[in-house]
Amino acid sequence: GSGPVSILQARVEDLIAAGPLPLPPSTCSPSSSPPSPPPQRSVDVIVSEWMGYALFFECMLDSVLAARDAWLKPGGVLLPDRATVYVAGLAPAASDLDFWSDVAGLDLSAAGEAVAEGRRATGAVLPVDACHVVTAAAPVLDLDLMTAGPGDAEFSTPFCVAAVAPPPAGGGGGGAAPPPPPPPSTVTIGAVALWFDVAFTARACPDAPQVLSTSPSAPQTHWHQAVLELDTPLELSVVGSGSGREGGTGRGGPSPTHLRGRVSMARGAEHRSVDISLECEACAGAGGPAVGARCVRLYT
């Protein structure tokens, strides 16, 4: 159908408190009856771009869920209708802190360490190249937005991801390309990344389901990726590389091949902020023993 577009400038919560949406009265009632007022649950589709960094920073999900519960008709849809948060380990180069070692010929490594220390307190939002992702990715939250509640934005989820050889960095000029170098047998993890996908699933969009991704492997968006710097880099052997008979538990000990830990997210003290807790350690196999110290840090 066609008709006028009405723009209401108000907080969703204030509109809900005021009663049914101020929509035009229904004209579908019989001519002998007066037009019926709009019901409270009168909306077929709600579309909102509420996502923030790491999905929940500065987001407005609570308002969207309140609108869903107050206005969405039975059988209506919320778009997007699903959101997923992922975690993966990053090479130290992802943080681009080597920049500070040579700034116009000056060694500003001390400034670089100050930047790193700040990121270890608050995290950072950076564009991460896919070639710097050195573990598999694992989902730590899969949220059905049609049924989620406000408390679902707070979660604590374990994860375990294997070290992988990163894809080669892009490049290429004319002429015959040299053979690619052999994949590395070990990788170093200097940080952990969080990113999210949102989906318009076949349930909500049966004719054209879509996934919008903020993965490092997808085209970069203004959300980039959330980067959580570790206190001490961790070295892992790439699964299946056959490397490393010596592990972090001592000569002849097991080689760590996985990054294991837990990601927790909760509302922060400041308005629309979040606190992220990260616990992680290297381990020899998905269910194997820890190798070295466990990193525990809160990013506010």
Side-chain angles (χ1 to χ4, degrees):
S2 62
V5 174
S6 299
I7 298 174
L8 307 177
Q9 184 172 339
R11 293 176 66 249
V12 165
E13 290 80 0
D14 292 342
L15 288 174
I16 293 171
L21 280 173
L23 301 176
S26 172
T27 59
C28 299
S29 53
S31 57
S32 59
S33 303
S36 59
Q40 179 79 345
R41 295 171 68 86
S42 55
V43 173
D44 296 296
V45 180
I46 296 175
V47 183
S48 179
E49 188 281 280
W50 52 267
M51 296 78 71
Y53 304 127
L55 188 62
F56 292 119
F57 180 68
E58 288 193 342
C59 82
M60 295 294 293
L61 180 59
D62 287 2
S63 295
V64 176
L65 299 184
R68 178 202 66 190
D69 294 342
W71 297 330
L72 194 63
K73 292 179 181 178
V77 294
L78 176 63
L79 299 176
D81 63 308
R82 198 162 206 99
T84 307
V85 180
Y86 295 90
V87 63
L90 301 180
S95 301
D96 199 27
L97 293 172
D98 288 343
F99 160 82
W100 294 98
S101 62
D102 185 0
V103 182
L106 299 175
D107 183 358
L108 300 180
S109 299
E113 180 51 39
V115 171
E117 186 58 35
R119 291 179 182 175
R120 287 191 286 267
T122 63
V125 177
L126 302 172
V128 173
D129 194 295
C131 71
H132 294 146
V133 179
V134 293
T135 73
V140 290
L141 179 69
D142 187 18
L143 200 59
D144 183 345
L145 297 168
M146 292 294 295
T147 59
D152 292 334
E154 298 186 312
F155 64 92
S156 181
T157 307
F159 66 89
C160 188
V161 290
V164 297
S185 59
T186 63
V187 295
T188 301
I189 298 175
V192 165
L194 297 174
W195 67 84
F196 65 88
D197 294 350
V198 292
F200 301 73
T201 70
R203 170 185 60 180
C205 299
D207 295 330
Q210 297 282 340
V211 174
L212 305 181
S213 179
T214 65
S215 163
S217 300
Q220 282 291 332
T221 69
H222 74 277
W223 286 284
H224 297 312
Q225 288 80 38
V227 176
L228 310 177
E229 298 281 342
L230 302 184
D231 292 321
T232 304
L234 303 173
E235 186 169 294
L236 303 182
S237 296
V238 175
V239 174
S241 67
S243 70
R245 287 191 169 84
E246 293 189 5
T249 57
R251 185 167 298 176
S255 293
T257 57
H258 287 65
L259 180 70
R260 180 172 61 202
R262 177 177 289 274
V263 171
S264 304
M265 194 177 295
R267 299 176 190 273
E270 296 185 15
H271 182 53
R272 296 189 191 173
S273 69
V274 295
D275 292 341
I276 301 174
S277 171
L278 174 66
E279 307 169 42
C280 63
E281 63 190 0
C283 61
V291 178
R294 184 174 182 87
C295 170
V296 179
R297 183 164 279 278
L298 177 66
Y299 305 84
T300 58

